[in-house]
Amino acid sequence: MIDLAVLDIAGTTVDEGGTVYRVLASVVADHAGPVSDDTIRRWMGADKREALAALTGRDRDDVEALHAEFVTRLGEAYEATPPVPLTGVPEALAALRSAGVKVALTTGFDRQVTDPLLASVGWRLGDQLDAVVCASEVAGGRPRPHMIHRAMELTGAPTVRRVLVAGDTALDVRAGIAAGAGFVVGVLTGAQTRTELAAEHPTHVLDGVAAIPALLGVGTDGALLGPS
Protein backbone atom coordinates (compact mmCIF):
# COMPACT_ATOMS: atom_id res chain seq x y z
CA MET A 1 0.00 0.00 0.00
CA ILE A 2 1.05 3.64 -0.33
CA ASP A 3 0.92 6.56 2.09
CA LEU A 4 0.48 9.41 -0.38
CA ALA A 5 -0.89 10.02 -3.87
CA VAL A 6 0.57 13.10 -5.58
CA LEU A 7 -1.60 14.10 -8.53
CA ASP A 8 -1.42 16.80 -11.16
CA ILE A 9 -4.44 19.08 -11.64
CA ALA A 10 -5.24 20.14 -15.24
CA GLY A 11 -5.75 17.11 -17.47
CA THR A 12 -5.23 14.67 -14.60
CA THR A 13 -7.84 15.40 -11.93
CA VAL A 14 -9.64 18.36 -13.51
CA ASP A 15 -11.02 18.65 -17.05
CA GLU A 16 -10.41 22.13 -18.40
CA GLY A 17 -10.44 21.13 -22.05
CA GLY A 18 -6.80 21.99 -22.71
CA THR A 19 -7.56 25.68 -22.17
CA VAL A 20 -4.31 26.33 -20.32
CA TYR A 21 -2.19 25.41 -23.33
CA ARG A 22 -4.33 27.33 -25.80
CA VAL A 23 -3.99 30.41 -23.61
CA LEU A 24 -0.25 29.84 -23.17
CA ALA A 25 0.20 29.56 -26.94
CA SER A 26 -1.84 32.71 -27.53
CA VAL A 27 0.22 34.77 -25.07
CA VAL A 28 3.47 33.52 -26.61
CA ALA A 29 2.19 34.20 -30.14
CA ASP A 30 1.21 37.77 -29.24
CA HIS A 31 4.62 38.59 -27.79
CA ALA A 32 7.14 36.38 -29.60
CA GLY A 33 5.38 34.95 -32.64
CA PRO A 34 3.48 31.71 -33.22
CA VAL A 35 4.81 28.46 -31.81
CA SER A 36 4.11 24.96 -33.03
CA ASP A 37 1.92 22.49 -31.20
CA ASP A 38 4.98 20.24 -30.76
CA THR A 39 6.81 23.07 -29.01
CA ILE A 40 3.92 23.71 -26.64
CA ARG A 41 3.65 19.99 -25.92
CA ARG A 42 7.21 19.93 -24.61
CA TRP A 43 6.17 22.42 -21.93
CA MET A 44 3.00 20.64 -20.80
CA GLY A 45 3.10 20.26 -17.03
CA ALA A 46 5.86 22.83 -16.55
CA ASP A 47 5.91 25.89 -14.31
CA LYS A 48 4.17 28.52 -16.42
CA ARG A 49 6.76 31.22 -15.73
CA GLU A 50 9.51 28.85 -16.84
CA ALA A 51 7.53 28.00 -19.96
CA LEU A 52 6.91 31.65 -20.83
CA ALA A 53 10.58 32.52 -20.32
CA ALA A 54 11.75 29.68 -22.56
CA LEU A 55 9.14 30.24 -25.26
CA THR A 56 9.56 34.02 -25.50
CA GLY A 57 13.21 34.54 -24.54
CA ARG A 58 12.17 37.32 -22.14
CA ASP A 59 13.96 38.28 -18.94
CA ARG A 60 12.53 37.92 -15.45
CA ASP A 61 10.76 41.29 -15.30
CA ASP A 62 9.13 40.80 -18.69
CA VAL A 63 8.11 37.26 -17.78
CA GLU A 64 6.25 38.52 -14.71
CA ALA A 65 4.21 40.81 -16.94
CA LEU A 66 3.56 38.00 -19.39
CA HIS A 67 2.55 35.69 -16.56
CA ALA A 68 0.09 38.27 -15.26
CA GLU A 69 -1.42 38.47 -18.74
CA PHE A 70 -1.58 34.67 -18.90
CA VAL A 71 -3.37 34.51 -15.53
CA THR A 72 -5.91 37.13 -16.63
CA ARG A 73 -6.65 35.42 -19.94
CA LEU A 74 -6.87 32.00 -18.32
CA GLY A 75 -9.25 33.31 -15.67
CA GLU A 76 -11.50 34.75 -18.37
CA ALA A 77 -11.44 31.47 -20.26
CA TYR A 78 -12.28 29.47 -17.14
CA GLU A 79 -15.12 31.86 -16.34
CA ALA A 80 -16.56 31.28 -19.80
CA THR A 81 -16.11 27.50 -19.60
CA PRO A 82 -15.64 26.39 -15.98
CA PRO A 83 -13.39 23.38 -15.31
CA VAL A 84 -14.99 20.25 -13.84
CA PRO A 85 -13.60 17.16 -12.10
CA LEU A 86 -12.74 14.37 -14.51
CA THR A 87 -15.12 11.44 -14.48
CA GLY A 88 -14.56 9.15 -11.52
CA VAL A 89 -11.91 11.33 -9.89
CA PRO A 90 -13.95 12.57 -6.89
CA GLU A 91 -14.86 8.97 -6.11
CA ALA A 92 -11.23 7.88 -6.50
CA LEU A 93 -10.00 10.60 -4.15
CA ALA A 94 -12.62 9.63 -1.58
CA ALA A 95 -11.72 5.93 -1.83
CA LEU A 96 -8.01 6.63 -1.40
CA ARG A 97 -8.52 8.86 1.61
CA SER A 98 -10.91 6.33 3.17
CA ALA A 99 -8.14 3.74 2.80
CA GLY A 100 -5.76 6.00 4.71
CA VAL A 101 -3.92 7.36 1.66
CA LYS A 102 -3.31 11.09 1.75
CA VAL A 103 -3.93 13.05 -1.45
CA ALA A 104 -1.86 16.01 -2.61
CA LEU A 105 -2.25 18.02 -5.80
CA THR A 106 0.71 19.62 -7.57
CA THR A 107 0.59 22.09 -10.42
CA GLY A 108 2.55 24.41 -12.67
CA PHE A 109 0.00 27.12 -11.85
CA ASP A 110 0.51 29.54 -9.00
CA ARG A 111 -2.06 30.34 -6.32
CA GLN A 112 -3.73 33.03 -8.44
CA VAL A 113 -5.02 30.28 -10.70
CA THR A 114 -4.99 27.25 -8.43
CA ASP A 115 -7.11 28.45 -5.51
CA PRO A 116 -10.06 29.73 -7.61
CA LEU A 117 -9.87 26.63 -9.84
CA LEU A 118 -10.11 24.24 -6.89
CA ALA A 119 -12.84 26.32 -5.29
CA SER A 120 -14.82 26.14 -8.52
CA VAL A 121 -14.83 22.33 -8.43
CA GLY A 122 -15.56 22.28 -4.69
CA TRP A 123 -12.30 20.74 -3.45
CA ARG A 124 -10.91 21.87 -0.10
CA LEU A 125 -8.07 20.96 2.21
CA GLY A 126 -9.28 18.59 4.89
CA ASP A 127 -12.20 17.38 2.82
CA GLN A 128 -11.07 16.06 -0.57
CA LEU A 129 -7.39 17.02 -0.26
CA ASP A 130 -4.52 16.89 2.23
CA ALA A 131 -2.11 19.28 0.49
CA VAL A 132 -1.74 21.49 -2.58
CA VAL A 133 1.68 22.54 -3.91
CA CYS A 134 2.32 25.11 -6.66
CA ALA A 135 5.55 25.23 -8.65
CA SER A 136 6.10 28.84 -7.58
CA GLU A 137 6.34 27.66 -3.95
CA VAL A 138 9.37 25.40 -4.42
CA ALA A 139 12.84 25.68 -5.95
CA GLY A 140 11.66 24.63 -9.41
CA GLY A 141 8.83 22.99 -11.28
CA ARG A 142 8.68 19.72 -13.19
CA PRO A 143 10.63 17.69 -14.22
CA ARG A 144 12.40 18.48 -10.96
CA PRO A 145 10.95 16.54 -7.99
CA HIS A 146 10.61 19.47 -5.58
CA MET A 147 6.80 19.64 -5.57
CA ILE A 148 6.61 15.93 -4.73
CA HIS A 149 9.08 16.31 -1.89
CA ARG A 150 7.16 19.31 -0.56
CA ALA A 151 3.91 17.32 -0.69
CA MET A 152 5.62 14.63 1.38
CA GLU A 153 6.69 17.21 3.95
CA LEU A 154 3.21 18.68 4.21
CA THR A 155 1.52 15.30 4.64
CA GLY A 156 4.16 13.56 6.75
CA ALA A 157 4.81 10.83 4.17
CA PRO A 158 7.88 9.00 5.53
CA THR A 159 9.38 7.41 2.41
CA VAL A 160 9.14 8.17 -1.28
CA ARG A 161 8.93 4.47 -2.14
CA ARG A 162 5.42 4.56 -0.63
CA VAL A 163 4.35 7.51 -2.78
CA LEU A 164 2.34 7.33 -6.00
CA VAL A 165 2.78 10.14 -8.54
CA ALA A 166 0.33 10.54 -11.42
CA GLY A 167 -0.01 13.02 -14.25
CA ASP A 168 -0.96 13.41 -17.89
CA THR A 169 2.36 14.72 -19.23
CA ALA A 170 5.89 13.50 -19.82
CA LEU A 171 7.13 16.06 -17.30
CA ASP A 172 4.86 14.57 -14.62
CA VAL A 173 6.39 11.17 -15.26
CA ARG A 174 9.93 12.54 -15.25
CA ALA A 175 9.31 14.30 -11.94
CA GLY A 176 7.97 11.10 -10.38
CA ILE A 177 10.99 9.14 -11.54
CA ALA A 178 13.36 11.89 -10.35
CA ALA A 179 11.73 11.74 -6.92
CA GLY A 180 12.09 7.96 -6.75
CA ALA A 181 8.36 7.36 -6.26
CA GLY A 182 7.26 3.75 -5.89
CA PHE A 183 4.47 4.22 -8.43
CA VAL A 184 4.83 6.62 -11.36
CA VAL A 185 1.61 6.68 -13.37
CA GLY A 186 0.90 8.33 -16.69
CA VAL A 187 -2.80 8.97 -17.30
CA LEU A 188 -4.51 9.35 -20.67
CA THR A 189 -7.03 12.04 -19.74
CA GLY A 190 -4.85 14.93 -20.91
CA ALA A 191 -3.24 16.02 -24.13
CA GLN A 192 -0.37 13.53 -24.36
CA THR A 193 -0.67 10.07 -25.84
CA ARG A 194 0.10 6.61 -24.51
CA THR A 195 3.17 6.53 -26.76
CA GLU A 196 4.46 9.85 -25.42
CA LEU A 197 3.93 8.80 -21.81
CA ALA A 198 5.27 5.26 -22.21
CA ALA A 199 8.46 6.66 -23.72
CA GLU A 200 9.26 8.14 -20.29
CA HIS A 201 9.10 4.68 -18.64
CA PRO A 202 6.42 5.15 -15.97
CA THR A 203 5.58 2.15 -13.83
CA HIS A 204 2.04 2.23 -15.26
CA VAL A 205 -0.06 3.98 -17.90
CA LEU A 206 -3.75 4.11 -16.96
CA ASP A 207 -6.88 5.46 -18.60
CA GLY A 208 -7.22 7.93 -15.76
CA VAL A 209 -6.97 8.66 -12.03
CA ALA A 210 -10.28 6.83 -11.61
CA ALA A 211 -8.35 3.58 -12.15
CA ILE A 212 -5.79 4.20 -9.40
CA PRO A 213 -7.76 2.67 -6.49
CA ALA A 214 -8.13 -0.61 -8.40
CA LEU A 215 -4.41 -0.54 -9.21
CA LEU A 216 -3.73 -0.35 -5.48
CA GLY A 217 -6.34 -2.92 -4.53
CA VAL A 218 -8.67 -0.34 -2.95
CA GLY A 219 -12.43 -0.67 -3.27
CA THR A 220 -14.85 2.18 -3.87
CA ASP A 221 -15.53 2.32 -0.11
CA GLY A 222 -11.82 2.46 0.72
CA ALA A 223 -11.62 -1.18 1.81
CA LEU A 224 -8.57 -3.14 0.73
CA LEU A 225 -9.48 -5.79 -1.82
CA GLY A 226 -6.25 -7.77 -1.60
CA PRO A 227 -2.46 -7.43 -1.81
CA SER A 228 -1.31 -4.20 -3.51
Side-chain angles (χ1 to χ4, degrees):
M1 194 54 185
I2 63 167
D3 300 312
L4 171 65
V6 180
L7 313 173
D8 174 49
I9 297 181
T12 299
T13 53
V14 173
D15 181 4
E16 48 88 73
T19 300
V20 57
Y21 298 112
R22 289 195 295 274
V23 172
L24 179 66
S26 73
V27 172
V28 173
D30 287 350
H31 293 275
V35 290
S36 68
D37 180 62
D38 284 345
T39 299
I40 290 293
R41 293 176 80 81
R42 289 196 292 271
W43 288 94
M44 288 179 170
D47 177 280
K48 300 307 176 284
R49 287 181 175 85
E50 292 180 8
L52 286 165
L55 292 168
T56 64
R58 302 300 179 89
D59 62 24
R60 181 173 179 174
D61 290 340
D62 285 344
V63 166
E64 284 303 316
L66 292 179
H67 185 263
E69 182 177 341
F70 165 78
V71 169
T72 298
R73 290 195 197 183
L74 186 62
E76 292 169 350
Y78 282 170
E79 185 174 348
T81 307
V84 295
L86 280 156
T87 301
V89 168
E91 294 82 0
L93 301 188
L96 290 172
R97 295 185 83 239
S98 293
V101 178
K102 293 186 177 179
V103 173
L105 300 185
T106 60
T107 179
F109 297 143
D110 67 6
R111 290 287 172 178
Q112 289 175 282
V113 174
T114 301
D115 289 347
L117 190 159
L118 295 180
S120 74
V121 299
W123 291 351
R124 294 179 295 275
L125 290 175
D127 292 333
Q128 295 79 15
L129 309 170
D130 297 288
V132 177
V133 182
C134 299
S136 57
E137 299 166 351
V138 295
R142 305 179 187 112
R144 294 174 289 271
H146 305 314
M147 287 195 288
I148 298 166
H149 292 158
R150 179 57 177 156
M152 292 178 63
E153 292 173 2
L154 291 172
T155 59
T159 173
V160 74
R161 298 305 299 170
R162 291 174 61 88
V163 172
L164 178 147
V165 174
D168 65 303
T169 71
L171 292 187
D172 289 305
V173 174
R174 291 177 196 170
I177 292 171
F183 290 81
V184 180
V185 180
V187 297
L188 300 175
T189 46
Q192 295 195 316
T193 66
R194 181 180 294 274
T195 299
E196 288 174 307
L197 295 174
E200 303 298 332
H201 307 293
T203 60
H204 301 80
V205 177
L206 301 178
D207 288 340
V209 165
I212 288 176
L215 171 69
L216 300 174
V218 173
T220 56
D221 59 354
L224 296 182
L225 301 177
S228 59

